[in-house]
Amino acid sequence: MPDQITSLDLLCLHTITTRPWDIDMAADKYAERGIKGITVWREALEGHDPYRMGKHLTDQGLEVVSLCRGGFLPSTSSEKRDNAIDENLRAIDEAAALGAPMLVLVCGADPGQSLELSRGQIVDGIAALLPHAIGNKVKLTIEPLHPMYADSRSAINTLKQANDLCEQLNSPGLGVAVDVYHLWWDPELEAQIERCGEGDWLDAFHISDWRTPTTDLLLDREIMGRGCIPIRQIRGWVEAAGFNGFNEVEIFSNQHWSGDQNEYLDSIITAYKDHC
Ligand code: ZN
């Protein structure tokens, strides 16, 4: 399918990928290059009315793919857990106003307690949020994170765990985001992607690349094709599982953020055509 591979129709950018630009600038630059999708990070939305911003983005021909991000549900403190629920309810409202069909969840973890306990609190937290999400037609999308983040960012570290969660909660308001940066190493990845498809909850596909050596655990992601992740192969697996949504470029990079954002965005588009 060479046309599908090179077309920009399924390309989506996360606003954080071009973090130095504010959301208006990012939207202008994406739209001007023919990019069709945008995933909005809450930090980019701060100070804006989400409903008006959603309309503005749509008017520019951009489809709002998702709102990033909610989650961070576990804590040793019950007060912090309650606050996290309130914050996520607000995030669901924002997603609905923005016109985003899903809120991506970085589920959270607390190094002060066991992963098992954190996972239990994630299940309870998501269960508490689901009625509000469903009522607002916003899906909660679980993004499993690489195990290097298991201490404080997410106790959900494999696609199997995310699939198990979806199966356990069995809700039409719950789905999964496959991010190649977090999951590429997993020998079970292809089988678990297939399982996502069978469960009909594969809702998002995030791309970037893994740089060697990685100099920062969080902020040293690479443009696709410059690292070791077999992105096109994994894209083949998600599409074989029935996914036909956007390919969302999500790059956190101190190095790229310090350079010229126009050149960087052009490199991303070229890399998308060549390597994704
Ligand atoms: Zn992601």
Side-chain angles (χ1 to χ4, degrees), residues 147-188:
M148 69 178 168
Y149 302 116
D151 59 338
S152 58
R153 289 185 174 267
S154 185
I156 306 299
N157 305 107
T158 63
L159 187 52
K160 178 181 187 305
Q161 288 174 320
N163 281 333
D164 288 348
L165 243 171
C166 284
E167 228 167 61
Q168 181 184 350
L169 287 165
N170 187 28
S171 167
L174 194 57
V176 164
V178 168
D179 185 322
V180 300
Y181 190 80
H182 296 298
L183 302 176
W184 69 277
W185 56 273
D186 185 350
E188 283 192 51

mmCIF file of all heavy atoms in Angstrom, residues 147-188:
data_model
loop_
_atom_site.group_PDB
_atom_site.id
_atom_site.type_symbol
_atom_site.label_atom_id
_atom_site.label_comp_id
_atom_site.label_asym_id
_atom_site.label_seq_id
_atom_site.Cartn_x
_atom_site.Cartn_y
_atom_site.Cartn_z
ATOM 1 N N PRO A 147 8.845 -0.045 31.212
ATOM 2 C CA PRO A 147 9.088 -0.353 32.631
ATOM 3 C C PRO A 147 10.065 0.580 33.331
ATOM 4 O O PRO A 147 10.073 0.633 34.571
ATOM 5 C CB PRO A 147 9.636 -1.797 32.593
ATOM 6 C CG PRO A 147 9.607 -2.250 31.196
ATOM 7 C CD PRO A 147 9.016 -1.198 30.331
ATOM 8 N N MET A 148 10.866 1.350 32.598
ATOM 9 C CA MET A 148 11.767 2.279 33.294
ATOM 10 C C MET A 148 10.982 3.374 34.032
ATOM 11 O O MET A 148 11.537 4.094 34.851
ATOM 12 C CB MET A 148 12.779 2.906 32.322
ATOM 13 C CG MET A 148 12.226 3.875 31.318
ATOM 14 S SD MET A 148 13.577 4.552 30.288
ATOM 15 C CE MET A 148 12.643 5.344 28.986
ATOM 16 N N TYR A 149 9.683 3.468 33.725
ATOM 17 C CA TYR A 149 8.842 4.471 34.407
ATOM 18 C C TYR A 149 7.943 3.843 35.492
ATOM 19 O O TYR A 149 7.027 4.495 35.986
ATOM 20 C CB TYR A 149 7.940 5.184 33.403
ATOM 21 C CG TYR A 149 8.653 5.882 32.274
ATOM 22 C CD1 TYR A 149 8.476 5.467 30.959
ATOM 23 C CD2 TYR A 149 9.481 6.971 32.519
ATOM 24 C CE1 TYR A 149 9.116 6.108 29.912
ATOM 25 C CE2 TYR A 149 10.131 7.614 31.471
ATOM 26 C CZ TYR A 149 9.940 7.170 30.172
ATOM 27 O OH TYR A 149 10.582 7.813 29.145
ATOM 28 N N ALA A 150 8.237 2.575 35.833
ATOM 29 C CA ALA A 150 7.340 1.875 36.764
ATOM 30 C C ALA A 150 7.387 2.450 38.179
ATOM 31 O O ALA A 150 6.486 2.234 38.965
ATOM 32 C CB ALA A 150 7.673 0.386 36.791
ATOM 33 N N ASP A 151 8.450 3.199 38.486
ATOM 34 C CA ASP A 151 8.545 3.737 39.852
ATOM 35 C C ASP A 151 7.487 4.795 40.129
ATOM 36 O O ASP A 151 6.800 4.757 41.145
ATOM 37 C CB ASP A 151 9.951 4.320 40.114
ATOM 38 C CG ASP A 151 10.315 5.441 39.157
ATOM 39 O OD1 ASP A 151 9.717 5.519 38.057
ATOM 40 O OD2 ASP A 151 11.196 6.265 39.493
ATOM 41 N N SER A 152 7.325 5.736 39.193
ATOM 42 C CA SER A 152 6.493 6.890 39.533
ATOM 43 C C SER A 152 5.511 7.312 38.445
ATOM 44 O O SER A 152 4.673 8.178 38.680
ATOM 45 C CB SER A 152 7.402 8.085 39.862
ATOM 46 O OG SER A 152 8.239 8.360 38.756
ATOM 47 N N ARG A 153 5.618 6.734 37.242
ATOM 48 C CA ARG A 153 4.737 7.204 36.168
ATOM 49 C C ARG A 153 3.642 6.229 35.797
ATOM 50 O O ARG A 153 2.533 6.628 35.467
ATOM 51 C CB ARG A 153 5.554 7.553 34.917
ATOM 52 C CG ARG A 153 6.359 8.791 35.135
ATOM 53 C CD ARG A 153 7.079 9.246 33.894
ATOM 54 N NE ARG A 153 7.706 10.512 34.194
ATOM 55 C CZ ARG A 153 7.143 11.700 33.970
ATOM 56 N NH1 ARG A 153 5.974 11.776 33.390
ATOM 57 N NH2 ARG A 153 7.773 12.804 34.308
ATOM 58 N N SER A 154 3.980 4.945 35.784
ATOM 59 C CA SER A 154 2.921 3.987 35.488
ATOM 60 C C SER A 154 3.259 2.591 35.953
ATOM 61 O O SER A 154 4.333 2.069 35.663
ATOM 62 C CB SER A 154 2.596 3.944 33.995
ATOM 63 O OG SER A 154 1.476 3.089 33.794
ATOM 64 N N ALA A 155 2.316 1.997 36.643
ATOM 65 C CA ALA A 155 2.435 0.603 37.054
ATOM 66 C C ALA A 155 1.887 -0.324 35.978
ATOM 67 O O ALA A 155 1.877 -1.539 36.140
ATOM 68 C CB ALA A 155 1.696 0.377 38.366
ATOM 69 N N ILE A 156 1.424 0.268 34.867
ATOM 70 C CA ILE A 156 0.972 -0.524 33.714
ATOM 71 C C ILE A 156 2.083 -0.432 32.673
ATOM 72 O O ILE A 156 2.257 0.620 32.035
ATOM 73 C CB ILE A 156 -0.356 0.013 33.142
ATOM 74 C CG1 ILE A 156 -1.427 0.107 34.237
ATOM 75 C CG2 ILE A 156 -0.839 -0.851 31.975
ATOM 76 C CD1 ILE A 156 -1.793 -1.208 34.885
ATOM 77 N N ASN A 157 2.846 -1.510 32.498
ATOM 78 C CA ASN A 157 4.075 -1.433 31.710
ATOM 79 C C ASN A 157 4.121 -2.335 30.490
ATOM 80 O O ASN A 157 5.103 -2.312 29.740
ATOM 81 C CB ASN A 157 5.272 -1.754 32.614
ATOM 82 C CG ASN A 157 5.293 -0.860 33.834
ATOM 83 O OD1 ASN A 157 4.988 -1.311 34.942
ATOM 84 N ND2 ASN A 157 5.574 0.409 33.648
ATOM 85 N N THR A 158 3.109 -3.140 30.315
ATOM 86 C CA THR A 158 3.068 -3.966 29.105
ATOM 87 C C THR A 158 1.667 -3.876 28.497
ATOM 88 O O THR A 158 0.690 -3.544 29.183
ATOM 89 C CB THR A 158 3.354 -5.458 29.403
ATOM 90 O OG1 THR A 158 2.330 -5.955 30.268
ATOM 91 C CG2 THR A 158 4.716 -5.651 30.037
ATOM 92 N N LEU A 159 1.620 -4.212 27.222
ATOM 93 C CA LEU A 159 0.312 -4.211 26.566
ATOM 94 C C LEU A 159 -0.563 -5.313 27.147
ATOM 95 O O LEU A 159 -1.786 -5.156 27.236
ATOM 96 C CB LEU A 159 0.513 -4.395 25.055
ATOM 97 C CG LEU A 159 -0.717 -4.256 24.186
ATOM 98 C CD1 LEU A 159 -1.467 -2.966 24.457
ATOM 99 C CD2 LEU A 159 -0.342 -4.361 22.705
ATOM 100 N N LYS A 160 0.045 -6.393 27.597
ATOM 101 C CA LYS A 160 -0.736 -7.460 28.240
ATOM 102 C C LYS A 160 -1.467 -6.927 29.470
ATOM 103 O O LYS A 160 -2.657 -7.198 29.667
ATOM 104 C CB LYS A 160 0.166 -8.629 28.631
ATOM 105 C CG LYS A 160 -0.592 -9.747 29.335
ATOM 106 C CD LYS A 160 0.313 -10.890 29.732
ATOM 107 C CE LYS A 160 -0.472 -12.070 30.286
ATOM 108 N NZ LYS A 160 -1.346 -11.738 31.420
ATOM 109 N N GLN A 161 -0.767 -6.133 30.274
ATOM 110 C CA GLN A 161 -1.418 -5.573 31.466
ATOM 111 C C GLN A 161 -2.574 -4.658 31.076
ATOM 112 O O GLN A 161 -3.628 -4.664 31.717
ATOM 113 C CB GLN A 161 -0.401 -4.796 32.309
ATOM 114 C CG GLN A 161 0.589 -5.699 33.032
ATOM 115 C CD GLN A 161 1.674 -4.903 33.739
ATOM 116 O OE1 GLN A 161 2.170 -3.902 33.208
ATOM 117 N NE2 GLN A 161 2.050 -5.332 34.927
ATOM 118 N N ALA A 162 -2.373 -3.858 30.040
ATOM 119 C CA ALA A 162 -3.453 -2.966 29.590
ATOM 120 C C ALA A 162 -4.628 -3.774 29.047
ATOM 121 O O ALA A 162 -5.796 -3.468 29.323
ATOM 122 C CB ALA A 162 -2.928 -1.999 28.525
ATOM 123 N N ASN A 163 -4.321 -4.819 28.284
ATOM 124 C CA ASN A 163 -5.389 -5.685 27.771
ATOM 125 C C ASN A 163 -6.150 -6.362 28.911
ATOM 126 O O ASN A 163 -7.384 -6.441 28.885
ATOM 127 C CB ASN A 163 -4.804 -6.757 26.840
ATOM 128 C CG ASN A 163 -4.512 -6.221 25.447
ATOM 129 O OD1 ASN A 163 -5.158 -5.274 24.990
ATOM 130 N ND2 ASN A 163 -3.543 -6.809 24.775
ATOM 131 N N ASP A 164 -5.390 -6.829 29.912
ATOM 132 C CA ASP A 164 -6.037 -7.467 31.069
ATOM 133 C C ASP A 164 -6.984 -6.484 31.764
ATOM 134 O O ASP A 164 -8.091 -6.851 32.173
ATOM 135 C CB ASP A 164 -4.982 -7.947 32.084
ATOM 136 C CG ASP A 164 -4.200 -9.160 31.585
ATOM 137 O OD1 ASP A 164 -4.612 -9.764 30.579
ATOM 138 O OD2 ASP A 164 -3.173 -9.487 32.215
ATOM 139 N N LEU A 165 -6.521 -5.225 31.881
ATOM 140 C CA LEU A 165 -7.355 -4.195 32.516
ATOM 141 C C LEU A 165 -8.647 -3.964 31.732
ATOM 142 O O LEU A 165 -9.736 -3.845 32.310
ATOM 143 C CB LEU A 165 -6.563 -2.884 32.553
ATOM 144 C CG LEU A 165 -6.217 -2.304 33.907
ATOM 145 C CD1 LEU A 165 -5.249 -1.138 33.742
ATOM 146 C CD2 LEU A 165 -7.474 -1.836 34.591
ATOM 147 N N CYS A 166 -8.506 -3.879 30.416
ATOM 148 C CA CYS A 166 -9.691 -3.671 29.569
ATOM 149 C C CYS A 166 -10.654 -4.848 29.726
ATOM 150 O O CYS A 166 -11.875 -4.663 29.796
ATOM 151 C CB CYS A 166 -9.292 -3.530 28.103
ATOM 152 S SG CYS A 166 -8.596 -1.928 27.716
ATOM 153 N N GLU A 167 -10.085 -6.045 29.779
ATOM 154 C CA GLU A 167 -10.923 -7.230 29.916
ATOM 155 C C GLU A 167 -11.638 -7.226 31.266
ATOM 156 O O GLU A 167 -12.835 -7.483 31.361
ATOM 157 C CB GLU A 167 -10.042 -8.474 29.814
ATOM 158 C CG GLU A 167 -10.581 -9.519 28.873
ATOM 159 C CD GLU A 167 -9.514 -10.566 28.587
ATOM 160 O OE1 GLU A 167 -9.060 -11.246 29.530
ATOM 161 O OE2 GLU A 167 -9.115 -10.645 27.411
ATOM 162 N N GLN A 168 -10.876 -6.878 32.302
ATOM 163 C CA GLN A 168 -11.426 -6.881 33.664
ATOM 164 C C GLN A 168 -12.552 -5.851 33.803
ATOM 165 O O GLN A 168 -13.614 -6.154 34.339
ATOM 166 C CB GLN A 168 -10.291 -6.564 34.653
ATOM 167 C CG GLN A 168 -10.719 -6.553 36.100
ATOM 168 C CD GLN A 168 -9.555 -6.132 37.024
ATOM 169 O OE1 GLN A 168 -8.403 -6.038 36.596
ATOM 170 N NE2 GLN A 168 -9.867 -5.878 38.282
ATOM 171 N N LEU A 169 -12.317 -4.630 33.306
ATOM 172 C CA LEU A 169 -13.325 -3.569 33.484
ATOM 173 C C LEU A 169 -14.431 -3.659 32.439
ATOM 174 O O LEU A 169 -15.518 -3.129 32.633
ATOM 175 C CB LEU A 169 -12.655 -2.197 33.467
ATOM 176 C CG LEU A 169 -11.853 -1.884 34.746
ATOM 177 C CD1 LEU A 169 -10.923 -0.701 34.530
ATOM 178 C CD2 LEU A 169 -12.782 -1.618 35.923
ATOM 179 N N ASN A 170 -14.136 -4.307 31.315
ATOM 180 C CA ASN A 170 -15.130 -4.622 30.305
ATOM 181 C C ASN A 170 -16.106 -3.467 30.049
ATOM 182 O O ASN A 170 -17.303 -3.596 30.240
ATOM 183 C CB ASN A 170 -15.899 -5.879 30.752
ATOM 184 C CG ASN A 170 -16.831 -6.385 29.681
ATOM 185 O OD1 ASN A 170 -16.579 -6.170 28.489
ATOM 186 N ND2 ASN A 170 -17.913 -7.036 30.074
ATOM 187 N N SER A 171 -15.549 -2.323 29.616
ATOM 188 C CA SER A 171 -16.388 -1.139 29.421
ATOM 189 C C SER A 171 -16.190 -0.553 28.028
ATOM 190 O O SER A 171 -15.053 -0.464 27.549
ATOM 191 C CB SER A 171 -16.011 -0.072 30.457
ATOM 192 O OG SER A 171 -16.583 1.167 30.105
ATOM 193 N N PRO A 172 -17.283 -0.129 27.388
ATOM 194 C CA PRO A 172 -17.138 0.515 26.074
ATOM 195 C C PRO A 172 -16.417 1.858 26.183
ATOM 196 O O PRO A 172 -16.008 2.432 25.176
ATOM 197 C CB PRO A 172 -18.589 0.723 25.618
ATOM 198 C CG PRO A 172 -19.393 0.732 26.883
ATOM 199 C CD PRO A 172 -18.682 -0.180 27.839
ATOM 200 N N GLY A 173 -16.231 2.351 27.404
ATOM 201 C CA GLY A 173 -15.556 3.638 27.592
ATOM 202 C C GLY A 173 -14.062 3.514 27.782
ATOM 203 O O GLY A 173 -13.386 4.502 28.074
ATOM 204 N N LEU A 174 -13.524 2.311 27.596
ATOM 205 C CA LEU A 174 -12.115 2.085 27.890
ATOM 206 C C LEU A 174 -11.389 1.513 26.678
ATOM 207 O O LEU A 174 -11.897 0.629 25.996
ATOM 208 C CB LEU A 174 -12.011 1.107 29.065
ATOM 209 C CG LEU A 174 -10.669 0.970 29.770
ATOM 210 C CD1 LEU A 174 -10.176 2.312 30.289
ATOM 211 C CD2 LEU A 174 -10.782 -0.029 30.915
ATOM 212 N N GLY A 175 -10.195 2.042 26.405
ATOM 213 C CA GLY A 175 -9.395 1.536 25.294
ATOM 214 C C GLY A 175 -7.913 1.594 25.619
ATOM 215 O O GLY A 175 -7.521 1.869 26.757
ATOM 216 N N VAL A 176 -7.094 1.364 24.589
ATOM 217 C CA VAL A 176 -5.651 1.274 24.784
ATOM 218 C C VAL A 176 -4.922 2.093 23.723
ATOM 219 O O VAL A 176 -5.355 2.168 22.574
ATOM 220 C CB VAL A 176 -5.211 -0.219 24.686
ATOM 221 C CG1 VAL A 176 -3.719 -0.325 24.488
ATOM 222 C CG2 VAL A 176 -5.647 -0.991 25.922
ATOM 223 N N ALA A 177 -3.825 2.714 24.145
ATOM 224 C CA ALA A 177 -2.928 3.393 23.210
ATOM 225 C C ALA A 177 -1.643 2.581 23.116
ATOM 226 O O ALA A 177 -1.011 2.284 24.127
ATOM 227 C CB ALA A 177 -2.612 4.800 23.703
ATOM 228 N N VAL A 178 -1.280 2.203 21.897
ATOM 229 C CA VAL A 178 -0.013 1.516 21.657
ATOM 230 C C VAL A 178 1.011 2.571 21.266
ATOM 231 O O VAL A 178 0.878 3.245 20.243
ATOM 232 C CB VAL A 178 -0.163 0.468 20.530
ATOM 233 C CG1 VAL A 178 1.207 -0.045 20.083
ATOM 234 C CG2 VAL A 178 -1.038 -0.691 20.993
ATOM 235 N N ASP A 179 2.027 2.748 22.120
ATOM 236 C CA ASP A 179 3.102 3.700 21.838
ATOM 237 C C ASP A 179 4.371 2.890 21.601
ATOM 238 O O ASP A 179 4.842 2.182 22.496
ATOM 239 C CB ASP A 179 3.273 4.649 23.035
ATOM 240 C CG ASP A 179 4.305 5.740 22.757
ATOM 241 O OD1 ASP A 179 5.333 5.437 22.107
ATOM 242 O OD2 ASP A 179 4.095 6.879 23.197
ATOM 243 N N VAL A 180 4.922 2.998 20.401
ATOM 244 C CA VAL A 180 6.075 2.158 20.047
ATOM 245 C C VAL A 180 7.270 2.407 20.967
ATOM 246 O O VAL A 180 8.058 1.493 21.235
ATOM 247 C CB VAL A 180 6.502 2.344 18.563
ATOM 248 C CG1 VAL A 180 5.355 1.981 17.625
ATOM 249 C CG2 VAL A 180 7.011 3.746 18.290
ATOM 250 N N TYR A 181 7.412 3.627 21.466
ATOM 251 C CA TYR A 181 8.541 3.945 22.343
ATOM 252 C C TYR A 181 8.490 3.103 23.620
ATOM 253 O O TYR A 181 9.517 2.668 24.128
ATOM 254 C CB TYR A 181 8.524 5.436 22.698
ATOM 255 C CG TYR A 181 9.774 5.910 23.411
ATOM 256 C CD1 TYR A 181 10.940 6.202 22.695
ATOM 257 C CD2 TYR A 181 9.800 6.060 24.799
ATOM 258 C CE1 TYR A 181 12.085 6.632 23.339
ATOM 259 C CE2 TYR A 181 10.948 6.490 25.448
ATOM 260 C CZ TYR A 181 12.085 6.783 24.717
ATOM 261 O OH TYR A 181 13.228 7.211 25.366
ATOM 262 N N HIS A 182 7.299 2.882 24.116
ATOM 263 C CA HIS A 182 7.139 2.136 25.356
ATOM 264 C C HIS A 182 7.125 0.629 25.167
ATOM 265 O O HIS A 182 7.452 -0.118 26.077
ATOM 266 C CB HIS A 182 5.824 2.545 26.043
ATOM 267 C CG HIS A 182 5.804 3.976 26.473
ATOM 268 N ND1 HIS A 182 6.689 4.483 27.389
ATOM 269 C CD2 HIS A 182 5.023 5.018 26.098
ATOM 270 C CE1 HIS A 182 6.446 5.778 27.576
ATOM 271 N NE2 HIS A 182 5.447 6.125 26.799
ATOM 272 N N LEU A 183 6.698 0.160 23.996
ATOM 273 C CA LEU A 183 6.370 -1.257 23.857
ATOM 274 C C LEU A 183 7.220 -2.047 22.868
ATOM 275 O O LEU A 183 7.083 -3.265 22.778
ATOM 276 C CB LEU A 183 4.890 -1.389 23.454
ATOM 277 C CG LEU A 183 3.877 -0.769 24.424
ATOM 278 C CD1 LEU A 183 2.465 -0.891 23.850
ATOM 279 C CD2 LEU A 183 3.943 -1.421 25.796
ATOM 280 N N TRP A 184 8.102 -1.388 22.120
ATOM 281 C CA TRP A 184 8.790 -2.042 21.017
ATOM 282 C C TRP A 184 9.596 -3.271 21.416
ATOM 283 O O TRP A 184 9.782 -4.187 20.638
ATOM 284 C CB TRP A 184 9.724 -1.039 20.320
ATOM 285 C CG TRP A 184 10.904 -0.634 21.156
ATOM 286 C CD1 TRP A 184 10.919 0.325 22.130
ATOM 287 C CD2 TRP A 184 12.218 -1.184 21.118
ATOM 288 N NE1 TRP A 184 12.162 0.409 22.691
ATOM 289 C CE2 TRP A 184 12.991 -0.506 22.077
ATOM 290 C CE3 TRP A 184 12.846 -2.171 20.340
ATOM 291 C CZ2 TRP A 184 14.333 -0.787 22.312
ATOM 292 C CZ3 TRP A 184 14.192 -2.457 20.566
ATOM 293 C CH2 TRP A 184 14.921 -1.763 21.542
ATOM 294 N N TRP A 185 10.063 -3.298 22.653
ATOM 295 C CA TRP A 185 10.970 -4.351 23.142
ATOM 296 C C TRP A 185 10.236 -5.639 23.512
ATOM 297 O O TRP A 185 10.865 -6.673 23.739
ATOM 298 C CB TRP A 185 11.674 -3.837 24.407
ATOM 299 C CG TRP A 185 10.655 -3.424 25.431
ATOM 300 C CD1 TRP A 185 10.051 -2.197 25.541
ATOM 301 C CD2 TRP A 185 10.031 -4.261 26.404
ATOM 302 N NE1 TRP A 185 9.106 -2.223 26.542
ATOM 303 C CE2 TRP A 185 9.079 -3.473 27.091
ATOM 304 C CE3 TRP A 185 10.195 -5.604 26.782
ATOM 305 C CZ2 TRP A 185 8.271 -3.981 28.108
ATOM 306 C CZ3 TRP A 185 9.397 -6.106 27.795
ATOM 307 C CH2 TRP A 185 8.451 -5.289 28.457
ATOM 308 N N ASP A 186 8.936 -5.606 23.610
ATOM 309 C CA ASP A 186 8.159 -6.683 24.222
ATOM 310 C C ASP A 186 7.995 -7.863 23.253
ATOM 311 O O ASP A 186 7.386 -7.714 22.194
ATOM 312 C CB ASP A 186 6.778 -6.128 24.622
ATOM 313 C CG ASP A 186 5.939 -7.142 25.377
ATOM 314 O OD1 ASP A 186 6.331 -8.328 25.437
ATOM 315 O OD2 ASP A 186 4.883 -6.744 25.894
ATOM 316 N N PRO A 187 8.532 -9.047 23.609
ATOM 317 C CA PRO A 187 8.401 -10.201 22.699
ATOM 318 C C PRO A 187 6.949 -10.614 22.460
ATOM 319 O O PRO A 187 6.654 -11.299 21.497
ATOM 320 C CB PRO A 187 9.193 -11.314 23.406
ATOM 321 C CG PRO A 187 9.406 -10.854 24.802
ATOM 322 C CD PRO A 187 9.320 -9.358 24.808
ATOM 323 N N GLU A 188 6.051 -10.170 23.336
ATOM 324 C CA GLU A 188 4.634 -10.522 23.165
ATOM 325 C C GLU A 188 3.863 -9.457 22.383
ATOM 326 O O GLU A 188 2.632 -9.526 22.289
ATOM 327 C CB GLU A 188 3.957 -10.653 24.540
ATOM 328 C CG GLU A 188 4.265 -11.923 25.279
ATOM 329 C CD GLU A 188 3.325 -12.090 26.471
ATOM 330 O OE1 GLU A 188 2.089 -11.979 26.308
ATOM 331 O OE2 GLU A 188 3.844 -12.296 27.581
#
